Amino acid sequence: VRIHQRSPSLPRPFGPCQFPPHILDRTSPSPKRDIAMTDALPDTMTCIEISEPGGPEVLKPGSRPLPVAGAGEVLVRVAAAGVNRPDVMQRRGMYSPPPGVSDIPGLEIAGTVAALGADVSEWKVGDALCALVAGGGYAEYCAAPAPQCLPFPKGLDAVAAAALPETFFTVWTNVFGRARLQPGETLLVHGGSSGIGTAAIQMASRLGARVMATAGSAEKCAACEDLGAERAINYRDEDFVEAAKAFSDGHGVDVILDMVGGDYVARNIAALARGGRIASIAFLQGSKVEVDLMPLLMKHLTITASTLRPQTIEQKGEIASALRERIWPLVEAGDIKPVIDSTFPLTDAAEAHRLMESSRHIGKIMLVA
């Protein structure tokens, strides 16, 4: 397996990731498929299938017919796809795709438009885009709802662009939408060196919030601070509740982005300021907890949670529009940059999952088709 790893001291540089030109300009013989299409599409594609619930070894390369772009969809020739925790949960049999969605894993892609479904006017064949999808990303071709597609931010290539949708959609809807983070408020990001964490630190700090983060090593804490966190603590050595209170001059933080769950729930409540909000997006340490809810009453707290996958195309389209207006200019200016830890060939998805589960990475793990 050839893995392009980051340097041992810092996250891989933000900015364009280079890979062979054929990845962005692949053509092969094809039948007619849709209303508008490239003049050469294959009958079948390589994809990654989950042979049965289990460990990374159950991810197997396979061959399937190309997806068809339905009404309101674009067919994307995938150049790169992101690897995310929900993919791991799906592989384990704990996060099934919604009805009608491909069982192929993968929730974010970037590439070029290969064909258009009916009623698509905002994209044309050959356009470069990245997209949030509900499944099907670990493949050479993937159908994506047009409202969930965004152009490559200027200066980014396909690998960097594919690192954006799942994390940026998640952070925007949970931190800025549901938890209503405002400029001048304080945000605590758990898992600050993860794909979600690196996005949240940058987005929140660039939009005027003060950010602190937790991470599991000195290297990861340094990476969080390089990205814009004013304070990063190693949760193995330091109590984040006390650190949060010190960071906020004793008041507690205003918003916590939590993907841990378990015993973090009670500790998060203790770390919040009056009127504080917790945005939960995952429960890596368990979703069943016993907790005293009285502080919610006394401090007027809010706990909110959501997942992207089952939301409607219209809802996801609204998030995409907000990102294009508020965040894409910051990415194009170089103020927010995707952090790429490593890339793997599509057929080595199992190795990518092993790295994800090891938690050795900083930032995103990517597959290149």
Side-chain angles (χ1 to χ4, degrees):
V1 177
R2 183 180 181 187
I3 305 174
H4 304 282
Q5 289 279 24
R6 56 184 169 83
S7 72
S9 57
L10 290 173
R12 178 169 174 175
F14 318 97
C17 310
Q18 300 301 319
F19 51 94
H22 76 272
I23 290 174
L24 288 176
D25 188 26
R26 179 183 302 163
T27 56
S28 49
S30 164
K32 299 177 197 159
R33 292 194 76 78
D34 229 277
I35 290 177
M37 66 195 80
T38 57
D39 55 6
L41 289 177
D43 291 317
T44 61
M45 65 177 184
T46 298
C47 64
I48 299 299
E49 299 176 321
I50 301 172
S51 59
E52 60 181 337
E57 69 280 358
V58 306
L59 295 175
K60 305 287 188 181
S63 179
R64 291 194 185 183
L66 261 63
V68 175
E73 293 183 334
V74 298
L75 179 65
V76 180
R77 181 182 291 111
V78 177
V83 176
N84 294 283
R85 290 282 178 185
D87 305 340
V88 173
M89 300 302 290
Q90 179 176 338
R91 191 203 73 221
R92 294 174 179 171
M94 301 169 66
Y95 191 46
S96 299
V101 171
S102 172
D103 63 336
I104 296 170
L107 302 176
E108 59 185 349
I109 57 171
T112 53
V113 177
L116 303 175
D119 304 320
V120 175
S121 58
E122 62 268 41
W123 301 101
K124 63 182 185 298
V125 170
D127 281 347
L129 57 75
C130 57
L132 180 78
V133 293
Y138 290 13
E140 291 181 309
Y141 289 83
C142 181
Q148 297 171 203
C149 299
L150 287 160
F152 285 15
K154 295 174 184 175
L156 268 60
D157 68 5
V159 173
L164 302 177
E166 171 68 11
T167 50
F168 280 49
F169 275 67
T170 297
V171 171
W172 184 264
T173 191
N174 286 282
V175 174
F176 297 96
R178 301 182 69 85
R180 310 179 310 281
L181 180 69
Q182 300 298 312
E185 289 191 319
T186 50
L187 169 69
L188 168 58
V189 179
H190 288 307
S193 63
S194 66
I196 291 285
T198 56
I201 290 169
Q202 293 185 83
M203 291 168 69
S205 62
R206 286 10 169 224
L207 293 178
R210 299 183 61 218
V211 182
M212 69 171 294
T214 64
S217 70
E219 179 192 10
K220 290 182 177 182
C221 287
C224 293
E225 292 178 348
D226 287 343
L227 292 170
E230 294 181 36
R231 175 91 161 87
I233 67 163
N234 185 338
Y235 62 80
R236 302 179 193 279
D237 302 329
E238 192 172 353
D239 178 17
F240 76 77
V241 177
E242 293 304 315
K245 290 180 178 178
F247 179 73
S248 57
D249 298 323
H251 300 293
V253 293
D254 297 299
V255 175
I256 298 175
L257 178 60
D258 182 39
M259 58 194 80
V260 182
D263 67 2
Y264 270 43
V265 176
R267 297 167 68 194
N268 286 336
I269 291 171
L272 282 175
R274 182 177 177 83
R277 291 86 72 194
I278 298 171
S280 293
I281 59 170
F283 305 102
L284 297 178
Q285 289 189 5
S287 60
K288 296 181 180 180
V289 298
E290 182 174 330
V291 62
D292 181 3
L293 297 179
M294 188 59 68
L296 272 68
L297 297 178
M298 303 306 294
K299 294 201 292 184
H300 295 191
L301 306 181
T302 299
I303 299 178
T304 181
S306 73
T307 58
L308 278 173
R309 204 173 195 180
Q311 294 187 44
T312 66
I313 292 172
E314 291 74 19
Q315 289 169 324
K316 295 173 187 175
E318 291 174 0
I319 301 168
S321 296
L323 288 171
R324 189 166 186 173
E325 177 184 351
R326 298 291 305 280
I327 301 300
W328 253 228
L330 297 174
V331 178
E332 293 182 343
D335 295 327
I336 295 177
K337 305 173 184 178
V339 182
I340 310 295
D341 182 274
S342 49
T343 62
F344 293 80
L346 174 64
T347 52
D348 287 335
E351 292 302 317
H353 274 229
R354 289 187 180 95
L355 177 59
M356 170 70 73
E357 291 185 291
S358 77
S359 295
R360 296 192 311 269
H361 60 292
I362 295 176
K364 296 287 295 190
I365 301 167
M366 307 302 298
L367 300 175
V368 176

